[in-house]
C-alpha cells in the first residue's frame, strides 16, 4: 500500500463528520463547543485538479482541547480534502492555526503564513504530504 492509499485509509472513518460541512456556504465559520473542547470549522469550497479529472471539497478545522482542564490547552489544525463521491478523504495535519488555508479563488487554495499570500493548485491526485512554502510539508 502506497503513502496516498495509507492516508486515505487513515481518514476513512472521519468522512461522515466532514461531509456535514460541505454546502454552498463557503467561508462561513461554524463552531462546535463541548465541555472541554472547541472546534472552528470552515468549508472553503471546491478545488478542482488542473487535469479536470477530479475535484475536492476543502474544509479547514482548528480544535482546542483541554479547555477548563489544563492551564495550557492544546490546539490542532488540519485540512480535509473530500472527493466528489464522498467515499475518499485525505486529512493533512498542520502545526499552527495561522498555517491553515484562508480561501479558494480561481481554483487556487490560498495560504497566508507570515503575512505572505501563497497559492497552491492540485495536479492529478492528492500527494501523501501537503507542501507549502514557508510552512513545510505535512
Amino acid at each position: 500500500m502506497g503513502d496516498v492509499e495509507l492516508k486515505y485509509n487513515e481518514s476513512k472513518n472521519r468522512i461522515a463528520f466532514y461531509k456535514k460541512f460541505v454546502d454552498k456556504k463557503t467561508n462561513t465559520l461554524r463552531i462546535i463547543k463541548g465541555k472541554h473542547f472547541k472546534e472552528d470549522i470552515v468549508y472553503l469550497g471546491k478545488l478542482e485538479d488542473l487535469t479536470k479529472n477530479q475535484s475536492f471539497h476543502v474544509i479547514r478545522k482548528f480544535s482546542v482541547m483541554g479547555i477548563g482542564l489544563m492551564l495550557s490547552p492544546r490546539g490542532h489544525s488540519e485540512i480535509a480534502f473530500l472527493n466528489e463521491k464522498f467515499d475518499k478523504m485525505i486529512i493533512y495535519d498542520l502545526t499552527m492555526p495561522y498555517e491553515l488555508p484562508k480561501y479558494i479563488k480561481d481554483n487556487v487554495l490560498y495560504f497566508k503564513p507570515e503575512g505572505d499570500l501563497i497559492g497552491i493548485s492540485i495536479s492529478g491526485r492528492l500527494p501523501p504530504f501537503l507542501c507549502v512554502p514557508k510552512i513545510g510539508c505535512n
Side-chain angles (χ1 to χ4, degrees):
M1 184 179 302
D3 289 338
V4 172
E5 288 79 20
L6 185 62
K7 288 222 42 109
Y8 276 124
N9 285 338
E10 290 173 351
S11 303
K12 199 166 212 151
N13 65 342
R14 298 172 67 196
I15 291 173
F17 172 80
Y18 277 100
K19 186 178 175 181
K20 298 183 291 191
F21 299 100
V22 175
D23 58 27
K24 298 197 184 311
K25 295 179 186 175
T26 59
N27 298 316
T28 300
L29 176 65
R30 292 179 180 91
I31 298 172
I32 298 173
K33 289 184 180 181
K35 186 173 182 178
H36 300 292
F37 74 92
K38 178 184 170 202
E39 295 178 331
D40 295 344
I41 301 168
V42 177
Y43 173 60
L44 296 176
K46 194 162 38 169
L47 185 64
E48 196 170 282
D49 81 66
L50 297 176
T51 63
K52 309 281 186 203
N53 291 330
Q54 297 183 74
S55 59
F56 301 93
H57 296 281
V58 183
I59 301 169
R60 73 176 191 208
K61 180 175 97 165
F62 176 66
S63 305
V64 179
M65 290 125 327
I67 297 171
L69 290 175
M70 301 170 22
L71 293 176
S72 180
R74 303 289 181 241
H76 178 79
S77 303
E78 60 188 33
I79 310 167
F81 289 80
L82 284 84
N83 72 350
E84 280 295 298
K85 296 178 185 177
F86 298 108
D87 63 348
K88 287 188 175 182
M89 177 174 77
I90 287 183
I91 297 174
Y92 299 103
D93 295 312
L94 298 173
T95 327
M96 304 299 286
Y98 64 82
E99 294 176 346
L100 289 167
K102 302 298 181 195
Y103 58 89
I104 296 172
K105 183 178 179 186
D106 298 327
N107 206 37
V108 177
L109 181 62
Y110 285 97
F111 295 78
K112 201 169 183 180
E114 301 175 18
D116 296 326
L117 193 61
I118 298 170
I120 65 167
S121 298
I122 307 276
S123 180
R125 54 191 247 172
L126 293 170
F129 298 97
L130 182 67
C131 297
V132 179
K134 294 195 174 190
I135 293 175
C137 295
N138 297 287

